[in-house]
Amino acid sequence: MTLRACGFLVFRRLASCVPPDNIEYLLLQTSYGNHHWTPPKGHVDPGEDDLTTALRETKEEAGLGAEQLQVIDGFLQELSYEVQGKPKKVLYWLAELKDAGTAVTLSNEHQDYRWARLEEACTLAQYKDLQDTLRAAGRHLLDKKQ
C-alpha cells in the first residue's frame, strides 16, 4: 500500500529585494534520521482530504495556519519515491505567507528551519525530485508575474 502525504511549499516575498531574488522558501530540518530538510508535510489521516492534510500539517509542523497562507492557484506537484522499501506519494501545493514577518513555530519533529532563496533551498533539499519541484514553483511564480 502506498503511503500518501501532503504539504505546502511555503514562500515569502521580501520587500527589500528585486524579483525573483525576493522569494524565499521555508524548509524544516527533521529532528530524526539524517536531519534532512523538507517543506512542511505529513501523512493523510483517514477520511481527510489532501488539501486539509496539507493545511493541518503546516500548522502542526511550522505553526502557520490557513489564515496566514494564501494558496497559489494552478500549482500542484506530485512526487513518488520509496521510503524504507515502501512506495510513497507526496502532493505539494504552493502557498505564500501573507505577512513575511510571521514567526515559524516548530514541532518536536523538527530541530531547525530556514528561509532560503531558490538555489540555497535546492541545495538544502538534497533530493532531485524535491529540487525539481522547488524550481517548478519558482518558474510558476515568475510566469504569474508576466
Side-chain angles (χ1 to χ4, degrees), residues 16-67:
S16 61
C17 300
V18 177
D21 284 338
N22 67 330
I23 294 174
E24 292 183 326
Y25 299 90
L26 176 64
L27 291 175
L28 312 177
Q29 186 180 38
T30 61
S31 55
Y32 56 85
N34 64 359
H35 305 296
H36 64 282
W37 292 87
T38 180
K41 70 174 186 314
H43 295 125
V44 177
D45 284 345
E48 188 175 53
D49 69 70
D50 293 339
L51 190 56
T52 300
T53 298
L55 288 165
R56 177 181 53 77
E57 288 290 342
T58 302
K59 180 70 172 176
E60 288 175 6
E61 294 187 354
L64 303 174
E67 66 283 357

Side-chain angles (χ1 to χ4, degrees), residues 43-117:
H43 295 125
V44 177
D45 284 345
E48 188 175 53
D49 69 70
D50 293 339
L51 190 56
T52 300
T53 298
L55 288 165
R56 177 181 53 77
E57 288 290 342
T58 302
K59 180 70 172 176
E60 288 175 6
E61 294 187 354
L64 303 174
E67 66 283 357
Q68 294 153 316
L69 300 170
Q70 175 64 49
V71 179
I72 304 300
D73 290 334
F75 185 90
L76 177 60
Q77 294 276 31
E78 182 178 300
L79 283 63
S80 296
Y81 53 93
E82 284 195 1
V83 176
Q84 298 174 342
K86 296 179 185 170
K88 182 173 185 176
K89 283 191 187 296
V90 180
L91 297 177
Y92 283 115
W93 285 265
L94 186 57
E96 182 171 9
L97 188 61
K98 292 177 184 177
D99 176 354
T102 302
V104 172
T105 305
L106 295 177
S107 72
N108 61 1
E109 294 179 48
H110 297 92
Q111 63 184 16
D112 199 4
Y113 74 92
R114 187 170 305 169
W115 289 101
R117 289 188 172 92

